[in-house]
Amino acid sequence: MAEYVLTEKNAVLSDAVNASAKRTLHIPFGAVTANVLFASLAAVILTAPKPGNVQSPAAFLTAAAAIELIFLIVYFKGKKKSTADIVSLIYAFLLAWELFNLSGLAHPVLVPPPENVFNIFYVNRADMFEGLLASMSILLQGMGLALFFGIIGGLLVGYVQRLREIFLPVTKVISTIPPLVYTPYVVAVMPTFRAASVFVIFSAVFWPTFMAMIARVGSVDEKIIDSARVMKVDLPTMLFKVILPYSLPEVIARLSFSFTSAMLCLTGAEMLGASAGLGYFVKKFSDYADYTRVIAGIIYIAVIITVLNVLIDLLQKKVIKWKY
Amino acid sequence: MPHIEIKDLTLEYTDANGGFTALDGVNMAVEQGEFVCVIGPSGCGKSSLLSVLEGLNKPTRGEVLINGEEVTSPGTDRGVVFQHYSLFPWLSATGNIVFAMKRSGISGKRKELSAIAHEYLDKVGLSDSYDKYPSQLSGGMKQRVAIARVLAANAEIFLMDEPFGAIDPKNRTELQELIAMLAAEEKKTVLFVTHDIDEAILLADRIIYIDDKRVKADITVEIQKPRTRASLVGDPKYNELHGKLMKLFYQNVADNIGGEEVVL
């Protein structure tokens, strides 16, 4: 018995020694991998002999350097291991793409060289920026209206039991219809394409927001209501200073989801009848089989969505900090 | 004139299954500055009594008077501490207190109100938690904020519904001593609902025993204030009172079993 205890103690001790040894000799493999991949990518871009159709690698190199810079900032600020792994994955993909094109196996039209794709960001920068503005103004307008009316409407409807019992089942049905289904019809019916797009985004965001708000307001903890009532709050105070802040996290938590579906509707609608915008950019050039620009457009949309999602995350943490 | 007067108060709830009587002809009075504990087994109607005083429920018959005026709705002359969820989770400790102060008609710049809120937080021993949210506070700390809130809102009457029922024993003792001290210092009239006999004896000037929807006993606590847990131990008056209240609770058990003698 005594021996057993002793050995166990030793085992614990040696574990502790191992652990401390690991700490001192810890190598951040993820970060090393990411940087090795970055270096190889840069080396290949700069030194490998290129076929004649490949344009200047300046834009491609700039993009890789930008990724590296963001990675280094995020890594040293937060030391999150997953960042290194995600960045490694991006470098590996770009490297594979580059090598595939260098090998000569790639179809020159269907799989354009990455240098040419990234070059588009420079060549078409004015078009792309204009597209971004066009899309964002529609997106913000549609989402802004939808959030405003969804939150206020849900607050009022949710507070009145009778209205709640009418609207909750109705909105449950409506909010399950994917807006993409009726997008072509809306584009045909509405007087302008812009109005149609705003309307589609509005419906994509409004119904889920409205529904979530009604449900949340309807299930406010009785004790919260009582605490407010004993302080003799009037109706506006009850709605806007008690129930609204109580319910808002629910809506904010869905914001990135709402945003994704709004983006989906917007790019979808733009492919139907726009004359500017992110989706329009992709659609126009795929009609001409200009896949270099199509791929650039897709990457552009992905980057914008990512940036906006990061902003939404920050907003969430700020608005609902009391939940953490 | 008593500060609070309850006359022939009857409260019936109606729901889908018909009616339910929560209180049946309750009469009692509380003087200015008095600390009264309402005690009784669960389901006896003590919380219903408080809900009428809070203005959340309207009496079916009878009336509740405060300073001679009938209570018909909630009012900021009464400060309430519930057992749970007294605080708004989206406001900081300071924010919760400022909210209540504004509701009580205390006006001023945000900064001035915050400064007053901080004073009351100091008073309840939360000097380092001004900006914490309820989710960052322990159960005992939340109740301290709730107490600071009713103090800051300048309510004349404190209505406390088993406020320390969910707090661990060590913190509960501290909170009991805190509320006893503050109520005496600020000369508040307190109606404190509990099912804890020791808590009632420690705090009350008078203990009202409610059972079966009616007042069954009204006992003045003759033990010198201030009291502490330690000073009560071995005090013959404490032992006598504790025994008396135990008997009331025990009587209820015996009744429920059909009047036969019960050996516990």
Side-chain angles (χ1 to χ4, degrees):
Chain A
M1 189 64 201
E3 229 177 71
Y4 169 71
V5 169
L6 204 66
T7 42
E8 191 174 58
K9 204 172 172 188
N10 280 344
V12 169
L13 270 178
S14 71
D15 271 352
V17 170
N18 282 343
S20 76
K22 261 185 204 156
R23 253 198 301 283
T24 48
L25 291 174
H26 178 69
I27 298 166
F29 286 108
V32 170
T33 313
N35 285 306
V36 168
L37 280 168
F38 172 66
S40 345
L41 181 64
V44 171
I45 297 170
L46 288 171
T47 59
K50 305 274 166 57
N53 65 337
V54 176
Q55 298 163 2
S56 156
F60 188 27
L61 272 174
T62 312
I67 295 171
E68 180 70 10
L69 188 67
I70 293 168
F71 162 59
L72 289 176
I73 292 171
V74 172
Y75 186 78
F76 283 110
K77 249 179 121 181
K79 294 208 184 257
K80 253 169 88 182
K81 274 189 188 158
S82 59
T83 320
D85 297 341
I86 292 167
V87 170
S88 298
L89 211 62
I90 296 172
Y91 287 149
F93 173 75
L94 292 176
L95 193 60
W97 183 6
E98 174 74 4
L99 292 173
F100 184 53
N101 277 87
L102 288 179
S103 72
L105 293 171
H107 188 288
V109 174
L110 293 178
V111 187
E115 284 88 349
N116 297 9
V117 169
F118 282 92
N119 211 22
I120 298 297
F121 289 108
Y122 180 72
V123 177
N124 281 69
R125 61 189 184 282
D127 278 354
M128 288 180 131
F129 187 64
E130 197 193 331
L132 175 68
L133 290 185
S135 292
M136 285 306 117
S137 87
I138 291 173
L139 189 79
L140 288 180
Q141 203 176 337
M143 272 189 86
L145 287 171
L147 287 174
F148 180 79
F149 286 107
I151 290 171
I152 303 295
L155 195 60
L156 299 176
V157 168
Y159 192 65
V160 183
Q161 192 187 354
R162 182 134 180 212
L163 290 178
R164 187 168 73 231
E165 281 166 7
I166 299 170
F167 278 96
L168 199 53
V170 175
T171 51
K172 264 186 188 157
V173 173
I174 297 178
S175 67
T176 51
I177 304 171
L180 276 178
V181 170
Y182 51 80
T183 302
Y185 174 65
V186 174
V187 170
V189 166
M190 289 298 233
T192 64
F193 169 75
R194 195 191 154 81
S197 302
V198 171
F199 181 83
V200 169
I201 290 167
F202 177 85
S203 7
V205 177
F206 173 79
W207 291 107
T209 307
F210 187 54
M211 189 184 77
M213 199 67 193
I214 294 175
R216 179 76 171 168
V217 172
S219 62
V220 181
D221 199 313
E222 275 298 314
K223 291 161 189 155
I224 294 263
I225 302 273
D226 279 352
S227 302
R229 280 181 64 201
V230 297
M231 283 189 261
K232 213 176 163 68
V233 300
D234 47 26
L235 186 64
T237 311
M238 179 65 102
L239 284 175
F240 293 102
K241 296 234 163 125
V242 178
I243 296 177
L244 183 64
Y246 176 83
S247 313
L248 217 46
E250 188 87 354
V251 175
I252 304 277
R254 285 163 182 265
L255 197 59
S256 57
F257 177 75
S258 312
F259 168 70
T260 309
S261 63
M263 202 67 199
L264 205 68
C265 292
L266 175 66
T267 42
E270 279 176 349
M271 288 184 157
L272 291 175
S275 53
L278 300 170
Y280 168 73
F281 187 90
V282 172
K283 165 76 174 146
K284 182 173 79 177
F285 291 110
S286 67
D287 284 350
Y288 296 117
D290 184 349
Y291 295 116
T292 311
R293 282 181 167 79
V294 169
I295 293 171
I298 291 168
I299 294 174
Y300 189 48
I301 293 172
V303 169
I304 288 164
I305 290 179
T306 308
V307 169
L308 290 173
N309 265 324
V310 169
L311 292 179
I312 288 172
D313 266 6
L314 289 177
L315 178 76
Q316 276 178 357
K317 292 220 169 90
K318 198 160 169 52
V319 173
I320 53 176
K321 59 175 187 263
W322 57 271
K323 280 228 156 181
Y324 294 95
Chain B
M1 183 172 53
H3 200 180
I4 305 171
E5 204 173 357
I6 296 168
K7 289 184 189 164
D8 191 31
L9 174 64
T10 300
L11 179 67
E12 283 163 10
Y13 295 113
T14 42
D15 58 17
N17 307 323
F20 166 75
T21 307
L23 294 166
D24 185 8
V26 170
N27 284 292
M28 60 185 275
V30 181
E31 296 301 323
Q32 183 84 39
E34 210 179 4
F35 199 125
V36 173
C37 281
V38 176
I39 182 168
S42 34
C44 70
K46 55 192 193 301
S47 290
S48 299
L49 174 68
L50 221 53
S51 76
V52 177
L53 278 161
E54 286 154 4
L56 295 179
N57 276 319
K58 285 202 168 64
T60 313
R61 267 195 314 283
E63 56 183 359
V64 172
L65 305 172
I66 289 178
N67 291 325
E69 279 179 41
E70 193 177 349
V71 170
T72 52
S73 65
T76 51
D77 54 339
R78 286 149 277 156
V80 183
V81 180
F82 293 106
Q83 183 173 355
H84 293 292
Y85 279 115
S86 271
L87 304 176
F88 295 140
W90 58 89
L91 294 177
S92 67
T94 305
N96 265 289
I97 295 173
V98 170
F99 183 97
M101 288 166 72
K102 283 186 182 161
R103 295 309 313 157
S104 302
I106 300 168
S107 56
K109 289 191 190 106
R110 168 88 210 179
K111 246 188 191 164
E112 294 163 7
L113 296 182
S114 291
I116 300 172
H118 293 167
E119 273 174 40
Y120 283 101
L121 283 170
D122 294 343
K123 240 181 198 174
V124 297
L126 289 179
S127 305
D128 49 2
S129 303
Y130 293 164
D131 298 320
K132 286 200 175 139
Y133 288 92
S135 61
Q136 299 167 307
L137 300 171
S138 69
M141 289 160 99
K142 280 183 215 169
Q143 292 307 65
R144 280 170 197 263
V145 178
I147 291 168
R149 179 171 65 174
V150 291
L151 285 171
N154 213 10
E156 297 168 37
I157 299 174
F158 285 11
L159 302 173
M160 310 185 80
D161 193 356
E162 300 192 28
F164 311 143
I167 312 288
D168 65 277
K170 183 181 171 291
N171 272 302
R172 194 188 307 153
T173 308
E174 286 177 18
L175 283 162
Q176 284 162 350
E177 284 168 11
L178 178 74
I179 193 69
M181 183 192 82
L182 290 171
E185 199 180 292
E186 309 261 338
K187 300 189 174 52
K188 302 292 183 186
T189 304
V190 184
L191 207 61
F192 188 108
V193 166
T194 178
H195 56 243
D196 179 343
I197 293 175
D198 286 328
E199 184 168 71
I201 299 175
L202 183 74
L203 296 173
D205 296 317
R206 200 144 59 82
I207 296 174
I208 291 181
Y209 181 81
I210 293 190
D211 194 4
D212 201 17
K213 301 147 195 165
R214 288 190 192 88
V215 173
K216 290 289 170 76
D218 185 339
I219 305 161
T220 304
V221 183
E222 307 278 4
I223 304 166
Q224 188 73 38
K225 274 189 168 183
R227 307 168 199 146
T228 63
R229 290 257 163 194
S231 75
L232 288 179
V233 175
D235 186 319
K237 283 181 193 158
Y238 164 77
N239 289 339
E240 190 202 327
L241 188 52
H242 191 273
K244 206 166 167 183
L245 289 165
M246 281 299 276
K247 218 178 222 165
L248 285 166
F249 272 86
Y250 173 77
Q251 183 63 43
N252 170 259
V253 176
D255 284 349
N256 287 343
I257 304 178
E260 285 176 37
E261 194 174 338
V262 183
V263 181
L264 291 178

